[in-house]
Amino acid sequence: MRTWRLPADVDTDQLAPGPAMKHGIDVIARHCLEAVRPDFAAGVRRGDVIVAGPHFGIGSSREQAAAVLVHLGVAAVVAPSFGGLFFRNAFNIGLLLLVCREAERIGDGVGLALDPLGGLVLPSGGAPLAVEPTPPFLLDMVQAGGLLPQLKARLAARKESRHGT
């Protein structure tokens, strides 16, 4: 996993710019973070991680701000704090967020391993950094791909158990 370093106070308008909102997720994705990191949308690869300053995802409640990161293949966002609405939207859409008070010590473009169960992020060439515990139900939601896929899987499992299949 490679990191993309972002500043503090990245808001939902920077993640999913207003003028692009009239289009689908493919177009929104091309404009993701263009005001902060013009190279991001074209350069991000599946499994990359955003490392940001405090207050990542502040602003509006637009779900596309988290959905665009999932669409682009971002594996997780590591930051000291998150906007509350973004935090919930991210997990609902299947995006892992890790609260790391020392996230700003992680550089741009470095390799990074994530151990949310162990409460650590491991930057290559650096010391492990602690992350706040993520509740198991949120980790399960991310593993399922978000809230809707998780609920569909639960419904399917209940139907199977009732019908003996």
Side-chain angles (χ1 to χ4, degrees), residues 43-150:
V44 68
R45 299 291 174 253
R46 188 153 306 281
D48 285 355
V49 176
I50 291 174
V51 178
H55 316 298
F56 187 86
I58 57 174
S60 73
S61 62
R62 62 179 68 163
E63 186 177 284
Q64 294 90 337
V68 72
L69 296 177
V70 171
H71 181 79
L72 290 168
V74 171
V77 181
V78 179
S81 61
F82 295 91
L85 293 169
F86 178 82
F87 188 87
R88 192 62 195 169
N89 284 337
F91 281 99
N92 283 346
I93 206 78
L95 178 63
L96 177 63
L97 303 182
L98 296 172
V99 176
C100 177
R101 299 283 174 222
E102 299 181 286
E104 293 176 287
R105 292 180 48 196
I106 303 168
D108 187 51
V110 301
L112 188 68
L114 307 175
D115 181 7
L117 290 175
L120 297 171
V121 293
L122 308 153
S124 59
L129 301 173
V131 297
E132 290 183 8
T134 303
F137 79 94
L138 290 178
L139 292 174
D140 290 345
M141 195 181 302
V142 169
Q143 184 68 32
L147 180 60
L148 289 179
Q150 183 182 46

